[in-house]
Amino acid sequence: MPFSLFCKDFKYKKYVVLYAFAKAHTFPTQLLFLIFQNIRVTLMKIYPIEAGNFKLDGGAMFGVVPKSLWTRTNPADAHNMIDIAARCMLIEDRDRLILIDTGMGEKQTEKFYSYYHLWGNDTIDTSLAKHGFHKDDITDVFMTHLHFDHCGGSVQWNKDRTGYEPAFKNATFWSNEDHWKWATQPNRREKASFLKENILPMEESGQLKFIKRKGTSFQESSELGFGLFFADGHTDKQMIPHITYQDKTIVFMADLLPTAGHLPLPFVMGYDTRPFLTLDEKEVFLNTAADQGYYLWLEHDAHNPIITVQHTEKGVRLKDTFTLEEII
């Protein structure tokens, strides 16, 4: 965003004096850029958007790991189900409101939802309203991937329930071309997770755009202003956002690390299409997270919203757990 446009917005004018002073005193261009970037990061705000809690089978969530091990961190109920959140993220960044993931949505049948044991009263609408926003305010919806529990809220019934329409009428929907093809031409393993009513209306509306991948698994920037890690173990070309927020890097973990209980490398979901690749991706990412002090935003952990990790003799393990209020 050019600084001239940045300055036209009233809420940023109090920062123009700082910029003008620096420019008048012939500060180097690089320093001016750093001032601008610092202002941007300072003004950015992040909000949790709870899209609705549910439950999933603990065995499916931990694959081949014995129940006696995974229940230490993720206790199961009498039906072997564990608590799962859909903790989306809303980023207010200058003139953009970017929503990362949208949960299951509310258009499926009662029978469908009965499989997932919904609990709690949170919805996208109520969560947005809590922070003073409405669906129509959202400028961008970024989908880490197109499984129904991550993108279902992007599409809703139309007014007379004869068809579907985007739930965010003023937003651009973001995926990537490789994953879009993977989801719209699904393999038999994932077909039940890629529901056409969740996906095709975004393209039919003309509101869909693709993130341009720059050839490596990690890229420092994207069309939405944050870095991305592309992971292929869970599903093809899942995107993991890295957000610079104040003096922190917050990583939206999606299904690369569903809960804090999944930190040990072999603790891989039964849902992952390439579990051996997930092992490698987790190892690389978690070592980097421990080295760099990343804050990990756990979309699916109902009880541990944000964590940090550390190196131990057993590998990378939990360091600290934070409430949302402590970090954002």
Side-chain angles (χ1 to χ4, degrees):
M1 182 181 187
F3 199 84
S4 59
L5 295 179
F6 175 82
C7 292
K8 288 180 180 179
D9 192 315
F10 176 79
K11 68 179 179 179
Y12 300 121
K13 286 183 178 178
K14 62 183 178 179
Y15 295 97
V16 175
V17 173
L18 172 62
Y19 179 83
F21 175 84
K23 189 172 183 180
H25 287 73
T26 62
F27 284 19
T29 301
Q30 186 176 4
L31 181 56
L32 292 175
F33 176 78
L34 290 174
I35 291 173
F36 174 80
Q37 287 295 96
N38 188 60
I39 290 171
R40 173 181 173 265
V41 171
T42 301
L43 290 173
M44 180 189 290
K45 293 183 180 179
I46 291 178
Y47 309 90
I49 302 298
E50 305 287 352
N53 300 320
F54 55 103
K55 289 178 179 284
L56 287 175
D57 183 85
M61 283 297 291
F62 285 91
V64 300
V65 179
K67 182 178 181 179
S68 58
L69 294 181
W70 58 254
T71 51
R72 297 174 185 174
T73 56
N74 299 70
D77 65 16
H79 302 287
N80 210 49
M81 309 294 280
I82 65 173
D83 291 347
I84 299 291
R87 184 176 300 107
C88 309
M89 178 189 288
L90 182 66
I91 303 172
E92 184 180 15
D93 186 11
R94 296 169 289 179
D95 57 346
R96 300 179 91 163
L97 277 176
I98 304 167
L99 180 62
I100 301 179
D101 281 354
T102 60
M104 285 191 191
E106 301 177 2
K107 63 183 176 295
Q108 303 297 340
T109 64
E110 288 187 15
K111 182 178 181 181
F112 177 92
Y113 290 122
S114 71
Y115 299 140
Y116 303 103
H117 305 267
L118 307 187
W119 57 280
N121 299 314
D122 293 316
T123 67
I124 283 184
D125 291 301
T126 58
S127 196
L128 284 171
K130 178 181 177 181
H131 300 294
F133 300 111
H134 185 272
K135 283 180 177 178
D136 293 351
D137 300 325
I138 305 301
T139 61
D140 301 271
V141 175
F142 176 90
M143 294 161 292
T144 59
H145 60 296
L146 295 167
H147 287 167
F148 66 82
D149 58 320
H150 292 259
C151 75
S154 298
V155 173
Q156 63 189 12
W157 284 107
N158 60 17
K159 190 173 182 180
D160 56 8
R161 296 178 71 86
T162 58
Y164 303 105
E165 64 184 12
F168 303 89
K169 67 179 184 180
N170 297 316
T172 298
F173 294 89
W174 295 91
S175 182
N176 68 75
E177 194 167 5
D178 289 337
H179 183 67
W180 186 266
K181 182 178 180 180
W182 183 269
T184 55
Q185 301 174 30
N187 59 71
R188 287 177 289 180
R189 173 80 179 274
E190 286 183 278
K191 188 174 182 179
S193 293
F194 292 128
L195 307 181
K196 61 182 180 180
E197 63 268 27
N198 286 340
I199 300 172
L200 297 182
M202 290 183 277
E203 183 178 39
E204 293 164 355
S205 71
Q207 295 171 239
L208 176 68
K209 288 186 178 181
F210 293 135
I211 294 289
K212 293 180 180 178
R213 187 175 180 185
K214 300 175 182 177
T216 60
S217 59
F218 179 75
Q219 56 191 56
E220 293 185 2
S221 63
S222 68
E223 290 84 343
L224 295 176
F226 44 69
L228 292 171
F229 175 59
F230 289 83
D232 296 316
H234 177 63
T235 187
D236 200 61
K237 303 302 181 291
Q238 177 183 202
M239 297 184 288
I240 307 298
H242 289 52
I243 299 102
T244 300
Y245 180 70
Q246 297 177 2
D247 60 344
K248 306 174 181 69
T249 297
I250 299 178
V251 184
F252 188 90
M253 292 308 302
D255 281 339
L256 180 60
L257 187 74
T259 75
H262 287 85
L263 280 171
L265 293 182
F267 285 40
V268 174
M269 291 191 291
Y271 302 112
D272 285 20
T273 59
R274 305 180 182 109
F276 288 111
L277 185 52
T278 297
L279 282 169
D280 293 338
E281 291 171 340
K282 280 178 63 178
E283 183 174 27
V284 170
F285 173 81
L286 289 174
N287 277 293
T288 302
D291 291 341
Q292 300 297 324
Y294 290 166
Y295 290 79
L296 310 185
W297 180 291
L298 302 182
E299 181 175 14
H300 283 319
D301 195 318
H303 307 293
N304 303 290
I306 299 177
I307 65 170
T308 54
V309 295
Q310 62 186 340
H311 295 288
T312 74
E313 293 180 356
K314 295 183 177 181
V316 176
R317 292 292 187 271
L318 181 68
K319 181 179 181 182
D320 293 305
T321 300
F322 300 92
T323 64
L324 294 163
E325 292 76 15
E326 288 178 301
I327 303 302
I328 60 174

